């Protein structure tokens, strides 16, 4: 009877050890595997040092002391609203959208040199500065009519700046330009004045034409007599 109890205790200890080993194995497996989502790359960091390679989409095994930062390589869109000044010192509110993507092959370089929050660190400040620089070259009246050209010029400046970080600028679009009420009222007043002037010139031209026609008829009648 005593022997049976001793064997039972041995079996229980072995079972506990097996279960403990299985739990430890599961925990280690969980710690050593990482899933990189579709459209992302995994930047591997070992004791604070960024590795020179990236992990592609799918399941990967890593060392327990390695951390994997998932970088989004899909096309992304950000919108920025800012204040800018025209060449004639008129303030405007500008809404600009930027479509971009992060290069897969150099994601680790972007993370190493800038960090995971690269948009706030380098992109947003450059977008704002480039838009302000481009707008400062145009008069306020020319801004609205040149919106497409403004978008192209901002893109031509921003693209090489971001390419140095491994960020591709897909497109830049000036969505909206909003002028101050004072400037808008001044433009409307100017348009009204120009329209009034044009209307006065048309009326004056009509009077002149009528007078010429009457003079011609009078001349014809005089010659007929």
């Amino acid at each position: 009877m005593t022997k049976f109890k001793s064997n039972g205790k041995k079996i229980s200890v072995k079972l506990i050890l097996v279960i403990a080993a299985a739990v430890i194995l599961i925990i280690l497996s969980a710690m050593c595997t990482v899933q990189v989502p579709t459209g992302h790359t995994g930047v591997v960091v070992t004791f604070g040092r960024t590795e020179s390679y990236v992990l592609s989409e799918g399941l990967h095994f890593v060392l327990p002391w390695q951390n994997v930062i998932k970088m989004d390589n899909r096309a992304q869109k950000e919108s920025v609203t800012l204040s800018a000044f025209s060449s004639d010192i008129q303030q405007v509110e500008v809404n600009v959208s930027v479509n971009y993507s992060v290069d897969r092959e150099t994601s680790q370089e972007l993370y190493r040199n800038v960090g995971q929050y690269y948009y706030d660190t380098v992109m947003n400040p450059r977008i704002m500065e480039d838009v302000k620089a481009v707008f400062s070259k145009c008069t306020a009246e020319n801004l609205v009519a040149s919106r497409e050209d403004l978008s192209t010029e901002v893109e031509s400046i921003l693209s090489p700046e971001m390419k140095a970080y491994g960020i591709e600028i897909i497109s830049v679009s000036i969505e909206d330009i909003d002028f101050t009420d004072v400037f808008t009222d001044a433009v409307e007043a100017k348009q009204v004045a120009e329209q009034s002037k044009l209307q006065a010139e048309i009326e004056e031209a009509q009077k002149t034409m009528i007078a010429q026609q009457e003079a011609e008829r009078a001349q014809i009648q005089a010659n007929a007599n």
Side-chain angles (χ1 to χ4, degrees):
M1 187 71 177
T2 305
K3 185 177 180 181
F4 176 77
K5 289 182 178 179
S6 178
N7 288 338
K9 289 181 179 179
K10 288 181 179 180
I11 293 173
S12 297
V13 170
K14 287 182 179 179
L15 181 60
I16 292 173
L17 291 175
V18 170
I19 294 174
V23 171
I24 292 173
L25 183 61
I26 292 172
I27 293 174
L28 287 175
S29 298
M31 292 175 60
C32 295
T33 58
V34 62
Q35 177 72 35
V36 178
T38 300
H40 292 68
T41 49
V43 177
V44 182
V45 180
T46 306
F47 294 124
R49 178 176 61 86
T50 304
E51 300 292 346
S52 59
Y53 61 89
V54 293
L55 303 178
S56 58
E57 304 166 353
L59 185 66
H60 299 272
F61 290 94
V62 295
L63 298 173
W65 51 83
Q66 289 182 319
N67 187 27
V68 177
I69 308 299
K70 297 164 187 176
M71 300 287 280
D72 194 341
N73 303 112
R74 297 170 298 180
Q76 302 177 68
K77 179 179 179 179
E78 295 287 350
S79 296
V80 181
T81 300
L82 66 145
S83 295
F85 287 90
S86 61
S87 60
D88 49 353
I89 320 299
Q90 292 293 334
Q91 184 175 0
V92 294
E93 292 293 318
V94 185
N95 181 260
V96 56
S97 63
V98 178
N99 292 277
Y100 68 95
S101 63
V102 174
D103 182 67
R104 288 177 174 270
E105 302 301 323
T106 59
S107 295
Q108 76 277 14
E109 296 295 333
L110 178 60
Y111 180 78
R112 179 187 292 116
N113 298 327
V114 182
Q116 189 174 6
Y117 304 105
Y118 56 87
Y119 174 78
D120 293 329
T121 304
V122 296
M123 280 195 68
N124 185 268
R126 290 315 310 163
I127 292 170
M128 297 182 71
E129 289 302 318
D130 292 344
V131 170
K132 290 178 181 180
V134 170
F135 270 60
S136 67
K137 299 176 183 178
C138 297
T139 63
E141 289 189 46
N142 292 332
L143 288 176
V144 176
S146 307
R147 190 160 62 179
E148 186 173 341
D149 293 335
L150 293 170
S151 300
T152 301
E153 189 171 353
V154 172
E155 182 177 344
S156 68
I157 298 173
L158 185 64
S159 289
E161 293 175 340
M162 294 300 101
K163 191 174 183 63
Y165 294 99
I167 302 171
E168 179 190 358
I169 299 300
I170 300 172
S171 66
V172 174
S173 178
I174 304 297
E175 302 288 354
D176 186 45
I177 302 174
D178 186 22
F179 296 90
T180 62
D181 293 339
V182 174
F183 178 76
T184 302
D185 293 342
V187 171
E188 290 178 352
K190 182 179 179 180
Q191 291 176 342
V192 170
E194 289 177 348
Q195 291 174 356
S196 299
K197 180 181 178 182
L198 179 60
Q199 182 64 32
E201 291 175 349
I202 292 174
E203 291 176 355
E204 186 63 29
Q206 289 176 339
K207 290 179 181 179
T208 301
M209 183 177 64
I210 292 172
Q212 289 177 344
Q213 290 175 346
E214 291 177 350
E216 289 175 357
R217 284 197 295 269
Q219 184 65 40
I220 293 172
Q221 289 178 355
N223 291 338
N225 295 332

